[in-house]
Structures are given as structure tokens and as C-alpha cells.
Amino acid sequence: MTSSNRQPAVTIEVLHVPDCPNLIPMLDRLREVTDIPATTREVTTDAEAAARGMTGSPTLLINGVDPFALGTSGECSIACRLYRDENNQIVPAPSADQFRAALTRTTDPDESERL
């Protein structure tokens, strides 16, 4: 018997370049929002970035999807990536509220339809 409260499995992966200064803020913010473990993967070439869907460092993938790709050029690269918070300020990682919304959009199909 399957419980209706059972959540689907969620995978979180953070793609980054070596010594990325924004990796730690990204991981700290993720820990603030969820207890789902995040896998980190270092990417060192443009070819690998393209193969993995990395649009700058760090790139967050939830179930293989970059929930923050909307509004970006979509170009895959090993360049630095910055985000914008709710106040349109440039920040090293999305805010806790932005992460929560991204997790909800990516993991709850009913919520995605309402947004």
C-alpha cells in the first residue's frame, strides 16, 4: 500500500568549478532549507559543462533540472554564475525562499501547475 503523503525521491546536485567562491554559500543555503543531501561535482571543461547542463558555477540541479535557468542565456560554461534575489540584488546563491519555491516547483507537479 502506498501512502499519499509519500514524497518522490529528490536528488540535488551542485555543479561547480574548482575553488568556486560561491559554492559554500550555495551549500549553506541548501542546508538551511532542506535535509536532502546535495552531491557536489567539480566541472573543469566547457565540454563537461555542456554535457551536464552547467550554466555557470555554481549550478543547482534538482532531479537533473536547473530550476534557476529561466531568464539565463542557457549557455553552458565553466564561468562564474551569480543569482538575483527577490529584491533583484546580485547574490552568490538564491535566497532560502527561492530555494523552497524551486524545490516545490521541481518536486510537486500540482504546485507547478498553479504557478
Side-chain angles (χ1 to χ4, degrees), residues 2-3 6 9 13 16 25 33 38 46-47 51 59 63 68 72-74 77 79 89 91 94-95 98 104 106 111:
T2 307
S3 168
R6 190 170 172 186
E13 183 175 31
H16 65 92
V33 171
D46 284 327
T59 291
N63 292 344
F68 299 105
T72 66
S73 66
S77 72
Q89 298 297 308
V91 293
S95 71
Q98 288 171 311
T104 300
T106 308
E111 183 66 22

Side-chain angles (χ1 to χ4, degrees), residues 34-115:
T34 183
D35 59 358
I36 299 169
T39 302
T40 59
R41 183 176 311 274
E42 189 173 277
V43 176
T44 58
T45 67
D46 284 327
E48 187 179 6
R52 298 200 178 279
M54 179 173 154
T55 56
S57 179
T59 291
L60 173 73
L61 300 176
I62 301 174
N63 292 344
V65 175
D66 179 350
F68 299 105
L70 189 64
T72 66
S73 66
E75 259 184 57
C76 295
S77 72
I78 58 171
C80 186
R81 181 174 181 178
L82 296 171
Y83 295 84
R84 291 204 178 261
D85 67 11
E86 297 89 347
N87 299 315
N88 207 30
Q89 298 297 308
I90 295 174
V91 293
S95 71
D97 286 340
Q98 288 171 311
F99 272 126
R100 283 185 197 95
L103 278 166
T104 300
R105 280 193 313 270
T106 308
T107 60
D108 182 353
D110 293 334
E111 183 66 22
S112 293
E113 291 173 9
R114 288 190 290 265
L115 296 177

